[in-house]
Amino acid sequence: IPSYTLVNLHTGLRMADNSWDLQFWVRNLFDEKYTTIQGTVPYNSGGVSALLGDPRTTGLTLSMKV
């Protein structure tokens, strides 16, 4: 498997009294194409199988104290 670099980003806002917390995050910021596992297929002449890594993923997380 060739080498690769993944860049993740995480930032957020939190109230001074910690009543709520809002976070924005990105995983695999530059949408790098990569494989996590690669190997030969059993009982197949020359077949190769690979498991692809996750594409760019973004999200928001809101946490609140009740």
Short mmCIF file of all heavy atoms in Angstrom, two decimals:
data_model
loop_
_atom_site.label_atom_id
_atom_site.label_comp_id
_atom_site.label_asym_id
_atom_site.label_seq_id
_atom_site.Cartn_x
_atom_site.Cartn_y
_atom_site.Cartn_z
N ILE A 1 0.86 -1.17 0.00
CA ILE A 1 0.00 0.00 0.00
C ILE A 1 0.91 1.24 0.00
O ILE A 1 1.74 1.38 0.89
CB ILE A 1 -0.93 0.02 1.23
CG1 ILE A 1 -1.85 -1.19 1.21
CG2 ILE A 1 -1.72 1.31 1.28
CD1 ILE A 1 -2.72 -1.32 2.44
N PRO A 2 0.73 2.13 -0.98
CA PRO A 2 1.54 3.36 -0.99
C PRO A 2 1.21 4.25 0.20
O PRO A 2 0.11 4.20 0.74
CB PRO A 2 1.14 4.04 -2.30
CG PRO A 2 0.26 3.12 -3.03
CD PRO A 2 -0.15 2.03 -2.11
N SER A 3 2.17 5.09 0.59
CA SER A 3 1.92 6.00 1.71
C SER A 3 0.90 7.06 1.32
O SER A 3 0.72 7.37 0.14
CB SER A 3 3.23 6.66 2.15
OG SER A 3 3.73 7.46 1.12
N TYR A 4 0.23 7.61 2.33
CA TYR A 4 -0.77 8.66 2.10
C TYR A 4 -0.86 9.51 3.36
O TYR A 4 -0.43 9.10 4.43
CB TYR A 4 -2.13 8.08 1.72
CG TYR A 4 -2.69 7.11 2.73
CD1 TYR A 4 -3.48 7.55 3.78
CD2 TYR A 4 -2.44 5.75 2.62
CE1 TYR A 4 -4.00 6.67 4.70
CE2 TYR A 4 -2.94 4.86 3.55
CZ TYR A 4 -3.72 5.32 4.58
OH TYR A 4 -4.22 4.44 5.51
N THR A 5 -1.43 10.71 3.22
CA THR A 5 -1.61 11.61 4.35
C THR A 5 -3.07 12.00 4.43
O THR A 5 -3.67 12.38 3.43
CB THR A 5 -0.75 12.89 4.16
OG1 THR A 5 0.62 12.50 4.06
CG2 THR A 5 -0.93 13.84 5.32
N LEU A 6 -3.63 11.92 5.62
CA LEU A 6 -5.01 12.35 5.85
C LEU A 6 -4.98 13.59 6.74
O LEU A 6 -4.22 13.65 7.70
CB LEU A 6 -5.82 11.25 6.54
CG LEU A 6 -5.99 9.96 5.75
CD1 LEU A 6 -6.79 8.96 6.57
CD2 LEU A 6 -6.66 10.22 4.42
N VAL A 7 -5.82 14.57 6.40
CA VAL A 7 -5.92 15.80 7.20
C VAL A 7 -7.34 15.88 7.74
O VAL A 7 -8.31 15.81 6.98
CB VAL A 7 -5.59 17.04 6.35
CG1 VAL A 7 -5.78 18.31 7.17
CG2 VAL A 7 -4.18 16.95 5.80
N ASN A 8 -7.46 16.01 9.07
CA ASN A 8 -8.75 16.18 9.73
C ASN A 8 -8.79 17.56 10.36
O ASN A 8 -7.76 18.11 10.76
CB ASN A 8 -8.94 15.11 10.80
CG ASN A 8 -8.94 13.72 10.22
OD1 ASN A 8 -9.43 13.49 9.13
ND2 ASN A 8 -8.38 12.78 10.95
N LEU A 9 -9.98 18.15 10.44
CA LEU A 9 -10.16 19.49 10.99
C LEU A 9 -11.29 19.44 12.00
O LEU A 9 -12.32 18.78 11.77
CB LEU A 9 -10.49 20.48 9.87
CG LEU A 9 -10.80 21.90 10.25
CD1 LEU A 9 -9.54 22.61 10.72
CD2 LEU A 9 -11.41 22.64 9.07
N HIS A 10 -11.12 20.15 13.12
CA HIS A 10 -12.13 20.15 14.17
C HIS A 10 -12.10 21.51 14.84
O HIS A 10 -11.05 21.96 15.28
CB HIS A 10 -11.77 19.04 15.18
CG HIS A 10 -12.77 18.86 16.26
ND1 HIS A 10 -12.51 19.20 17.55
CD2 HIS A 10 -14.02 18.36 16.25
CE1 HIS A 10 -13.56 18.92 18.30
NE2 HIS A 10 -14.49 18.42 17.52
N THR A 11 -13.22 22.19 14.89
CA THR A 11 -13.31 23.49 15.57
C THR A 11 -14.70 23.62 16.20
O THR A 11 -15.62 22.91 15.81
CB THR A 11 -13.04 24.66 14.59
OG1 THR A 11 -12.94 25.86 15.33
CG2 THR A 11 -14.11 24.77 13.53
N GLY A 12 -14.83 24.49 17.17
CA GLY A 12 -16.13 24.60 17.82
C GLY A 12 -16.28 25.84 18.68
O GLY A 12 -15.35 26.64 18.84
N LEU A 13 -17.48 25.97 19.22
CA LEU A 13 -17.85 27.06 20.13
C LEU A 13 -18.44 26.45 21.39
O LEU A 13 -19.18 25.47 21.32
CB LEU A 13 -18.91 27.96 19.50
CG LEU A 13 -18.53 28.70 18.22
CD1 LEU A 13 -19.76 29.33 17.61
CD2 LEU A 13 -17.50 29.77 18.54
N ARG A 14 -18.11 27.05 22.53
CA ARG A 14 -18.67 26.56 23.79
C ARG A 14 -19.09 27.77 24.61
O ARG A 14 -18.36 28.76 24.71
CB ARG A 14 -17.62 25.76 24.55
CG ARG A 14 -18.13 25.25 25.89
CD ARG A 14 -17.09 24.44 26.63
NE ARG A 14 -16.81 23.24 25.88
CZ ARG A 14 -15.64 22.61 25.91
NH1 ARG A 14 -14.64 23.09 26.63
NH2 ARG A 14 -15.45 21.53 25.21
N MET A 15 -20.27 27.69 25.22
CA MET A 15 -20.74 28.76 26.11
C MET A 15 -19.88 28.79 27.36
O MET A 15 -19.36 27.77 27.80
CB MET A 15 -22.21 28.53 26.50
CG MET A 15 -23.20 28.75 25.37
SD MET A 15 -23.21 30.43 24.76
CE MET A 15 -23.86 31.29 26.16
N ALA A 16 -19.73 29.98 27.95
CA ALA A 16 -18.91 30.14 29.15
C ALA A 16 -19.41 29.26 30.30
O ALA A 16 -18.61 28.77 31.10
CB ALA A 16 -18.88 31.60 29.57
N ASP A 17 -20.72 29.05 30.40
CA ASP A 17 -21.27 28.23 31.48
C ASP A 17 -21.35 26.74 31.11
O ASP A 17 -21.91 25.94 31.85
CB ASP A 17 -22.65 28.74 31.90
CG ASP A 17 -23.69 28.64 30.79
OD1 ASP A 17 -23.34 28.22 29.67
OD2 ASP A 17 -24.85 28.98 31.05
N ASN A 18 -20.78 26.38 29.96
CA ASN A 18 -20.77 24.99 29.47
C ASN A 18 -22.17 24.40 29.26
O ASN A 18 -22.34 23.19 29.29
CB ASN A 18 -19.97 24.07 30.41
CG ASN A 18 -18.49 24.34 30.33
OD1 ASN A 18 -17.98 24.74 29.29
ND2 ASN A 18 -17.79 24.13 31.43
N SER A 19 -23.18 25.24 29.04
CA SER A 19 -24.54 24.74 28.83
C SER A 19 -24.70 24.10 27.46
O SER A 19 -25.53 23.21 27.29
CB SER A 19 -25.57 25.86 29.03
OG SER A 19 -25.33 26.91 28.10
N TRP A 20 -23.92 24.55 26.47
CA TRP A 20 -23.96 23.90 25.15
C TRP A 20 -22.61 24.06 24.46
O TRP A 20 -21.81 24.91 24.78
CB TRP A 20 -25.10 24.40 24.27
CG TRP A 20 -25.07 25.87 23.94
CD1 TRP A 20 -25.68 26.87 24.61
CD2 TRP A 20 -24.37 26.49 22.85
NE1 TRP A 20 -25.41 28.08 24.01
CE2 TRP A 20 -24.61 27.87 22.92
CE3 TRP A 20 -23.58 26.02 21.81
CZ2 TRP A 20 -24.08 28.78 22.01
CZ3 TRP A 20 -23.05 26.92 20.90
CH2 TRP A 20 -23.31 28.27 21.00
N ASP A 21 -22.39 23.16 23.51
CA ASP A 21 -21.12 23.09 22.79
C ASP A 21 -21.45 22.71 21.34
O ASP A 21 -22.16 21.73 21.11
CB ASP A 21 -20.25 22.02 23.45
CG ASP A 21 -18.88 21.89 22.83
OD1 ASP A 21 -18.42 22.83 22.17
OD2 ASP A 21 -18.26 20.82 23.03
N LEU A 22 -20.99 23.50 20.37
CA LEU A 22 -21.24 23.24 18.96
C LEU A 22 -19.89 23.02 18.27
O LEU A 22 -19.01 23.86 18.36
CB LEU A 22 -21.98 24.40 18.29
CG LEU A 22 -22.29 24.24 16.79
CD1 LEU A 22 -23.26 23.09 16.56
CD2 LEU A 22 -22.84 25.53 16.23
N GLN A 23 -19.75 21.89 17.58
CA GLN A 23 -18.48 21.55 16.93
C GLN A 23 -18.72 21.24 15.46
O GLN A 23 -19.69 20.57 15.11
CB GLN A 23 -17.86 20.33 17.59
CG GLN A 23 -17.56 20.53 19.05
CD GLN A 23 -17.13 19.25 19.73
OE1 GLN A 23 -16.70 18.31 19.08
NE2 GLN A 23 -17.24 19.23 21.04
N PHE A 24 -17.83 21.75 14.60
CA PHE A 24 -17.82 21.44 13.18
C PHE A 24 -16.57 20.61 12.92
O PHE A 24 -15.50 20.94 13.41
CB PHE A 24 -17.78 22.72 12.34
CG PHE A 24 -17.52 22.46 10.88
CD1 PHE A 24 -18.51 21.92 10.07
CD2 PHE A 24 -16.29 22.75 10.32
CE1 PHE A 24 -18.27 21.67 8.73
CE2 PHE A 24 -16.04 22.51 8.98
CZ PHE A 24 -17.04 21.96 8.19
N TRP A 25 -16.71 19.53 12.17
CA TRP A 25 -15.56 18.67 11.90
C TRP A 25 -15.55 18.16 10.46
O TRP A 25 -16.59 18.08 9.82
CB TRP A 25 -15.51 17.50 12.88
CG TRP A 25 -16.79 16.74 13.02
CD1 TRP A 25 -17.77 16.96 13.96
CD2 TRP A 25 -17.25 15.67 12.21
NE1 TRP A 25 -18.81 16.09 13.76
CE2 TRP A 25 -18.52 15.27 12.68
CE3 TRP A 25 -16.73 15.00 11.13
CZ2 TRP A 25 -19.25 14.24 12.11
CZ3 TRP A 25 -17.47 13.97 10.56
CH2 TRP A 25 -18.71 13.61 11.07
N VAL A 26 -14.35 17.89 9.97
CA VAL A 26 -14.14 17.32 8.64
C VAL A 26 -13.09 16.23 8.78
O VAL A 26 -12.04 16.45 9.39
CB VAL A 26 -13.63 18.37 7.62
CG1 VAL A 26 -13.44 17.72 6.25
CG2 VAL A 26 -14.54 19.55 7.53
N ARG A 27 -13.37 15.08 8.24
CA ARG A 27 -12.39 13.99 8.18
C ARG A 27 -11.99 13.80 6.73
O ARG A 27 -12.83 13.85 5.84
CB ARG A 27 -12.98 12.70 8.74
CG ARG A 27 -13.28 12.79 10.22
CD ARG A 27 -13.71 11.45 10.79
NE ARG A 27 -14.09 11.61 12.16
CZ ARG A 27 -15.29 11.34 12.65
NH1 ARG A 27 -16.21 10.85 11.85
NH2 ARG A 27 -15.56 11.55 13.90
N ASN A 28 -10.70 13.58 6.48
CA ASN A 28 -10.15 13.43 5.14
C ASN A 28 -10.46 14.68 4.31
O ASN A 28 -11.07 14.63 3.25
CB ASN A 28 -10.67 12.16 4.45
CG ASN A 28 -9.92 11.81 3.20
OD1 ASN A 28 -8.94 12.46 2.84
ND2 ASN A 28 -10.38 10.79 2.51
N LEU A 29 -10.01 15.82 4.83
CA LEU A 29 -10.32 17.14 4.26
C LEU A 29 -10.06 17.25 2.76
O LEU A 29 -10.86 17.82 2.03
CB LEU A 29 -9.49 18.21 5.00
CG LEU A 29 -9.65 19.65 4.54
CD1 LEU A 29 -11.07 20.13 4.78
CD2 LEU A 29 -8.65 20.54 5.26
N PHE A 30 -8.97 16.68 2.26
CA PHE A 30 -8.63 16.80 0.84
C PHE A 30 -9.12 15.62 0.01
O PHE A 30 -8.72 15.44 -1.13
CB PHE A 30 -7.12 16.99 0.69
CG PHE A 30 -6.64 18.22 1.41
CD1 PHE A 30 -5.83 18.12 2.53
CD2 PHE A 30 -7.03 19.48 1.00
CE1 PHE A 30 -5.40 19.25 3.20
CE2 PHE A 30 -6.61 20.62 1.66
CZ PHE A 30 -5.79 20.50 2.77
N ASP A 31 -10.02 14.81 0.58
CA ASP A 31 -10.66 13.68 -0.12
C ASP A 31 -9.62 12.74 -0.76
O ASP A 31 -9.73 12.35 -1.92
CB ASP A 31 -11.65 14.19 -1.18
CG ASP A 31 -12.71 13.15 -1.49
OD1 ASP A 31 -12.93 12.24 -0.68
OD2 ASP A 31 -13.33 13.26 -2.56
N GLU A 32 -8.62 12.38 0.03
CA GLU A 32 -7.55 11.47 -0.41
C GLU A 32 -8.13 10.08 -0.71
O GLU A 32 -8.91 9.55 0.06
CB GLU A 32 -6.50 11.36 0.68
CG GLU A 32 -5.34 10.48 0.38
CD GLU A 32 -4.36 11.11 -0.60
OE1 GLU A 32 -4.32 12.35 -0.69
OE2 GLU A 32 -3.67 10.34 -1.27
N LYS A 33 -7.77 9.53 -1.86
CA LYS A 33 -8.19 8.17 -2.22
C LYS A 33 -7.12 7.20 -1.72
O LYS A 33 -5.95 7.34 -2.06
CB LYS A 33 -8.34 8.01 -3.74
CG LYS A 33 -9.22 9.06 -4.39
CD LYS A 33 -10.67 8.92 -3.97
CE LYS A 33 -11.56 9.83 -4.78
NZ LYS A 33 -12.18 10.89 -4.06
N TYR A 34 -7.50 6.24 -0.89
CA TYR A 34 -6.52 5.33 -0.31
C TYR A 34 -7.18 3.99 0.04
O TYR A 34 -8.40 3.90 0.13
CB TYR A 34 -5.88 5.94 0.94
CG TYR A 34 -6.84 6.17 2.08
CD1 TYR A 34 -6.90 5.28 3.14
CD2 TYR A 34 -7.70 7.27 2.11
CE1 TYR A 34 -7.79 5.48 4.19
CE2 TYR A 34 -8.57 7.48 3.14
CZ TYR A 34 -8.61 6.59 4.20
OH TYR A 34 -9.49 6.78 5.24
N THR A 35 -6.36 2.98 0.20
CA THR A 35 -6.85 1.67 0.63
C THR A 35 -6.33 1.39 2.02
O THR A 35 -5.22 1.78 2.39
CB THR A 35 -6.39 0.55 -0.33
OG1 THR A 35 -4.97 0.55 -0.39
CG2 THR A 35 -6.97 0.73 -1.71
N THR A 36 -7.15 0.72 2.83
CA THR A 36 -6.74 0.39 4.19
C THR A 36 -6.22 -1.04 4.27
O THR A 36 -5.37 -1.34 5.09
CB THR A 36 -7.91 0.55 5.18
OG1 THR A 36 -9.00 -0.26 4.76
CG2 THR A 36 -8.35 2.01 5.24
N ILE A 37 -6.74 -1.93 3.44
CA ILE A 37 -6.30 -3.33 3.38
C ILE A 37 -6.20 -3.72 1.92
O ILE A 37 -7.06 -3.37 1.12
CB ILE A 37 -7.31 -4.25 4.09
CG1 ILE A 37 -7.45 -3.87 5.57
CG2 ILE A 37 -6.92 -5.71 3.94
CD1 ILE A 37 -8.54 -4.63 6.29
N GLN A 38 -5.14 -4.44 1.60
CA GLN A 38 -4.96 -4.89 0.22
C GLN A 38 -4.32 -6.28 0.28
O GLN A 38 -3.42 -6.51 1.06
CB GLN A 38 -4.06 -3.91 -0.52
CG GLN A 38 -3.92 -4.17 -1.99
CD GLN A 38 -3.16 -3.03 -2.66
OE1 GLN A 38 -3.36 -1.87 -2.34
NE2 GLN A 38 -2.30 -3.37 -3.57
N GLY A 39 -4.81 -7.19 -0.55
CA GLY A 39 -4.24 -8.54 -0.56
C GLY A 39 -4.73 -9.34 -1.73
O GLY A 39 -5.58 -8.91 -2.51
N THR A 40 -4.18 -10.54 -1.87
CA THR A 40 -4.57 -11.42 -2.97
C THR A 40 -5.85 -12.16 -2.61
O THR A 40 -6.15 -12.39 -1.45
CB THR A 40 -3.46 -12.43 -3.28
OG1 THR A 40 -3.18 -13.17 -2.08
CG2 THR A 40 -2.19 -11.74 -3.74
N VAL A 41 -6.59 -12.54 -3.63
CA VAL A 41 -7.83 -13.28 -3.46
C VAL A 41 -7.49 -14.77 -3.43
O VAL A 41 -6.80 -15.26 -4.34
CB VAL A 41 -8.81 -12.97 -4.62
CG1 VAL A 41 -10.09 -13.78 -4.47
CG2 VAL A 41 -9.12 -11.49 -4.67
N PRO A 42 -7.94 -15.51 -2.42
CA PRO A 42 -7.62 -16.94 -2.36
C PRO A 42 -8.18 -17.70 -3.58
O PRO A 42 -9.27 -17.38 -4.07
CB PRO A 42 -8.32 -17.42 -1.09
CG PRO A 42 -8.61 -16.18 -0.31
CD PRO A 42 -8.71 -15.07 -1.29
N TYR A 43 -7.44 -18.68 -4.06
CA TYR A 43 -7.83 -19.56 -5.16
C TYR A 43 -8.07 -18.80 -6.46
O TYR A 43 -8.91 -19.19 -7.26
CB TYR A 43 -9.07 -20.39 -4.79
CG TYR A 43 -8.94 -21.08 -3.48
CD1 TYR A 43 -9.68 -20.68 -2.38
CD2 TYR A 43 -8.03 -22.12 -3.32
CE1 TYR A 43 -9.55 -21.30 -1.16
CE2 TYR A 43 -7.88 -22.76 -2.09
CZ TYR A 43 -8.65 -22.35 -1.02
OH TYR A 43 -8.51 -22.97 0.19
N ASN A 44 -7.38 -17.68 -6.66
CA ASN A 44 -7.53 -16.90 -7.88
C ASN A 44 -6.13 -16.53 -8.34
O ASN A 44 -5.33 -16.02 -7.57
CB ASN A 44 -8.36 -15.65 -7.61
CG ASN A 44 -8.72 -14.91 -8.87
OD1 ASN A 44 -8.10 -15.07 -9.90
ND2 ASN A 44 -9.74 -14.08 -8.79
N SER A 45 -5.85 -16.75 -9.59
CA SER A 45 -4.50 -16.47 -10.08
C SER A 45 -4.31 -14.98 -10.35
O SER A 45 -4.76 -14.45 -11.36
CB SER A 45 -4.22 -17.28 -11.36
OG SER A 45 -5.15 -16.92 -12.36
N GLY A 46 -3.67 -14.28 -9.43
CA GLY A 46 -3.35 -12.88 -9.63
C GLY A 46 -4.42 -11.90 -9.21
O GLY A 46 -4.23 -10.70 -9.36
N GLY A 47 -5.54 -12.34 -8.69
CA GLY A 47 -6.59 -11.42 -8.25
C GLY A 47 -6.18 -10.67 -7.00
O GLY A 47 -5.57 -11.22 -6.10
N VAL A 48 -6.49 -9.38 -6.95
CA VAL A 48 -6.16 -8.54 -5.80
C VAL A 48 -7.45 -7.90 -5.29
O VAL A 48 -8.28 -7.44 -6.06
CB VAL A 48 -5.14 -7.44 -6.18
CG1 VAL A 48 -4.88 -6.53 -5.00
CG2 VAL A 48 -3.85 -8.07 -6.66
N SER A 49 -7.59 -7.88 -3.98
CA SER A 49 -8.76 -7.28 -3.34
C SER A 49 -8.28 -6.13 -2.46
O SER A 49 -7.20 -6.19 -1.89
CB SER A 49 -9.46 -8.33 -2.49
OG SER A 49 -10.51 -7.76 -1.76
N ALA A 50 -9.09 -5.08 -2.35
CA ALA A 50 -8.72 -3.93 -1.52
C ALA A 50 -9.95 -3.35 -0.85
O ALA A 50 -11.06 -3.39 -1.41
CB ALA A 50 -8.04 -2.86 -2.37
N LEU A 51 -9.76 -2.84 0.34
CA LEU A 51 -10.82 -2.13 1.06
C LEU A 51 -10.49 -0.65 1.03
O LEU A 51 -9.44 -0.22 1.50
CB LEU A 51 -10.90 -2.63 2.51
CG LEU A 51 -11.94 -1.99 3.40
CD1 LEU A 51 -13.34 -2.22 2.84
CD2 LEU A 51 -11.84 -2.53 4.81
N LEU A 52 -11.38 0.14 0.43
CA LEU A 52 -11.13 1.58 0.29
C LEU A 52 -11.35 2.31 1.60
O LEU A 52 -12.21 1.95 2.40
CB LEU A 52 -12.05 2.17 -0.78
CG LEU A 52 -11.88 1.62 -2.19
CD1 LEU A 52 -12.90 2.24 -3.12
CD2 LEU A 52 -10.47 1.87 -2.69
N GLY A 53 -10.57 3.38 1.82
CA GLY A 53 -10.73 4.22 3.01
C GLY A 53 -11.93 5.14 2.86
O GLY A 53 -12.49 5.31 1.77
N ASP A 54 -12.30 5.75 3.95
CA ASP A 54 -13.47 6.65 3.95
C ASP A 54 -13.21 7.90 3.12
O ASP A 54 -12.13 8.47 3.16
CB ASP A 54 -13.81 7.07 5.37
CG ASP A 54 -14.32 5.91 6.22
OD1 ASP A 54 -14.86 4.96 5.63
OD2 ASP A 54 -14.17 5.98 7.44
N PRO A 55 -14.23 8.37 2.37
CA PRO A 55 -14.09 9.64 1.64
C PRO A 55 -14.21 10.81 2.60
O PRO A 55 -14.41 10.63 3.81
CB PRO A 55 -15.29 9.60 0.67
CG PRO A 55 -16.31 8.80 1.40
CD PRO A 55 -15.53 7.76 2.17
N ARG A 56 -14.15 12.04 2.08
CA ARG A 56 -14.33 13.23 2.92
C ARG A 56 -15.69 13.14 3.61
O ARG A 56 -16.71 12.82 3.00
CB ARG A 56 -14.28 14.49 2.08
CG ARG A 56 -14.49 15.75 2.91
CD ARG A 56 -14.57 17.03 2.11
NE ARG A 56 -13.49 17.14 1.15
CZ ARG A 56 -13.68 17.39 -0.14
NH1 ARG A 56 -14.88 17.55 -0.62
NH2 ARG A 56 -12.65 17.48 -0.95
N THR A 57 -15.68 13.40 4.90
CA THR A 57 -16.89 13.35 5.70
C THR A 57 -16.95 14.62 6.54
O THR A 57 -15.95 15.00 7.15
CB THR A 57 -16.87 12.13 6.64
OG1 THR A 57 -16.63 10.95 5.88
CG2 THR A 57 -18.19 11.97 7.36
N THR A 58 -18.09 15.29 6.56
CA THR A 58 -18.26 16.51 7.35
C THR A 58 -19.43 16.36 8.29
O THR A 58 -20.33 15.56 8.06
CB THR A 58 -18.50 17.74 6.45
OG1 THR A 58 -19.69 17.54 5.70
CG2 THR A 58 -17.34 17.98 5.51
N GLY A 59 -19.43 17.13 9.35
CA GLY A 59 -20.55 17.05 10.28
C GLY A 59 -20.54 18.15 11.31
O GLY A 59 -19.57 18.90 11.45
N LEU A 60 -21.63 18.24 12.01
CA LEU A 60 -21.82 19.14 13.16
C LEU A 60 -22.22 18.30 14.35
O LEU A 60 -23.00 17.35 14.21
CB LEU A 60 -22.93 20.15 12.89
CG LEU A 60 -22.65 21.30 11.96
CD1 LEU A 60 -23.93 22.07 11.66
CD2 LEU A 60 -21.62 22.23 12.56
N THR A 61 -21.68 18.64 15.51
CA THR A 61 -22.06 17.96 16.73
C THR A 61 -22.51 19.02 17.74
O THR A 61 -21.77 19.96 18.01
CB THR A 61 -20.87 17.15 17.31
OG1 THR A 61 -20.42 16.23 16.33
CG2 THR A 61 -21.29 16.41 18.56
N LEU A 62 -23.71 18.86 18.25
CA LEU A 62 -24.25 19.77 19.26
C LEU A 62 -24.42 18.99 20.54
O LEU A 62 -25.10 17.96 20.57
CB LEU A 62 -25.59 20.36 18.80
CG LEU A 62 -26.33 21.23 19.83
CD1 LEU A 62 -25.50 22.46 20.17
CD2 LEU A 62 -27.70 21.61 19.31
N SER A 63 -23.80 19.48 21.61
CA SER A 63 -23.94 18.86 22.93
C SER A 63 -24.57 19.87 23.86
O SER A 63 -24.17 21.06 23.88
CB SER A 63 -22.58 18.45 23.48
OG SER A 63 -21.93 17.57 22.60
N MET A 64 -25.55 19.43 24.64
CA MET A 64 -26.23 20.32 25.59
C MET A 64 -26.36 19.63 26.94
O MET A 64 -26.56 18.42 27.01
CB MET A 64 -27.63 20.66 25.07
CG MET A 64 -27.63 21.39 23.74
SD MET A 64 -29.28 21.67 23.09
CE MET A 64 -29.87 22.92 24.23
N LYS A 65 -26.21 20.42 27.99
CA LYS A 65 -26.44 19.91 29.35
C LYS A 65 -27.87 20.23 29.73
O LYS A 65 -28.33 21.36 29.56
CB LYS A 65 -25.47 20.55 30.34
CG LYS A 65 -24.07 20.05 30.19
CD LYS A 65 -23.19 20.59 31.31
CE LYS A 65 -21.78 20.06 31.15
NZ LYS A 65 -20.90 20.59 32.18
N VAL A 66 -28.56 19.25 30.24
CA VAL A 66 -29.95 19.47 30.64
C VAL A 66 -30.12 19.41 32.12
O VAL A 66 -29.42 18.81 32.82
CB VAL A 66 -30.89 18.41 30.02
CG1 VAL A 66 -32.11 19.05 29.45
CG2 VAL A 66 -30.25 17.52 29.04
#
